[in-house]
């Protein structure tokens, strides 16, 4: 499948995740970009990056984009999507980004300045939150499709030295109980 989103062209493999509500996705990604507050020189880490839609929509505002995804077909699409959109500051790695060494290795030994995470409905892991704290990542923008797992994960972030910013819901699927949310978590210790 091919689609246009946030002014970019994307190829999506059958096994890869993609937001089907384009207008809602553009609103959601705009909120994420606003919360990331990129100034042009940051190393932007995009975890659970899928086909690269969120990170690639922000790449022009970052010094470097590093995406990590566990689904090989999605990573191939992300690489192709960067190329098809002329984005040269993006690298995509196929791996499970559960520990600091994977993240540091993917980022060439440099600590990311901002991390974007968009995990599946089951949420993130306490191990990943601890990894972010160990690395001292100053800002994490969390895109969530489940308020329950977002609340649980925010608790983990708070316990690991992050403040929880404003949570903004986006009604991606009107007349259903499903909502996407965006929140910025900022490191305080």
């Amino acid at each position: 499948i091919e689609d246009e989103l946030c002014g970019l062209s994307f190829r999506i493999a059958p096994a890869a995740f993609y937001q089907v509500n384009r207008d809602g996705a553009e609103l959601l990604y705009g909120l994420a970009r606003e919360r990331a507050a990129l100034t042009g020189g940051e190393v932007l880490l995009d975890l659970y990056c899928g086909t690269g839609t969120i990170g690639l929509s922000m790449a022009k505002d970052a010094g470097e984009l590093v995406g990590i995804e566990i689904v090989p077909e999605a990573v191939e699409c992300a690489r192709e999507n960067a190329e098809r959109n002329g984005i040269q500051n993006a690298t995509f790695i196929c791996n499970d980004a559960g520990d600091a060494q994977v993240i540091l290795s993917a980022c060439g030994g440099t600590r990311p300045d901002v991390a974007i995470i968009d995990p599946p409905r089951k949420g993130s892991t306490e191990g990943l939150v601890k990894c972010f704290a160990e690395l001292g990542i100053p800002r994490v923008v969390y895109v969530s499709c489940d308020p329950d797992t977002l609340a649980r994960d925010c608790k983990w972030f708070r316990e690991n030295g992050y403040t929880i910013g404003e949570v903004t819901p986006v009604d991606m699927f009107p007349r259903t109980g499903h909502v996407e949310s965006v929140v910025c978590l900022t490191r305080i210790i």
Side-chain angles (χ1 to χ4, degrees):
I1 298 171
E2 293 186 10
D3 199 9
E4 297 281 326
L5 183 67
C6 300
L8 301 173
S9 173
F10 291 96
R11 180 178 161 274
I12 305 102
F17 174 80
Y18 187 70
Q19 293 285 3
V20 296
N21 178 341
R22 182 183 313 125
D23 292 340
E26 288 187 344
L27 175 61
L28 185 70
Y29 296 173
L31 288 166
R33 180 177 33 260
E34 181 182 296
R35 304 279 164 81
L38 299 169
T39 61
E42 296 90 353
V43 174
L44 174 63
L45 178 65
D46 184 5
L47 296 186
Y48 311 97
C49 71
T51 60
T53 54
I54 298 176
L56 289 171
S57 74
M58 297 182 191
K60 70 179 177 3
D61 299 323
E64 180 183 3
L65 165 64
V66 178
I68 303 176
E69 168 63 51
I70 199 165
V71 178
E73 297 87 357
V75 173
E76 274 306 307
C77 286
R79 291 173 181 152
E80 183 180 321
N81 291 333
E83 185 176 326
R84 77 183 329 176
N85 289 288
I87 297 171
Q88 297 179 351
N89 64 336
T91 304
F92 293 95
I93 310 293
C94 186
N95 208 324
D96 185 1
D99 69 64
Q101 290 308 314
V102 169
I103 292 171
L104 282 176
S105 176
C107 294
T110 303
R111 180 198 75 198
D113 300 296
V114 179
I116 305 271
I117 63 172
D118 184 8
R121 188 162 297 284
K122 67 181 180 179
S124 191
T125 66
E126 190 171 11
L128 181 61
V129 174
K130 287 181 179 182
C131 170
F132 283 175
E134 287 171 16
L135 290 172
I137 298 176
R139 192 167 44 257
V140 178
V141 178
Y142 193 136
V143 177
S144 173
C145 62
D146 186 321
D148 293 331
T149 56
L150 176 61
R152 180 203 64 205
D153 294 357
C154 282
K155 177 180 178 272
W156 291 336
F157 273 102
R158 192 178 61 242
E159 291 170 351
N160 283 277
Y162 286 84
T163 60
I164 301 165
E166 177 182 338
V167 178
T168 305
V170 176
D171 189 4
M172 295 286 286
F173 304 101
R175 300 188 191 126
T176 72
H178 299 287
V179 65
E180 296 270 340
S181 300
V182 180
V183 63
C184 183
L185 303 137
T186 306
R187 184 108 171 110
I188 55 172
I189 51 175

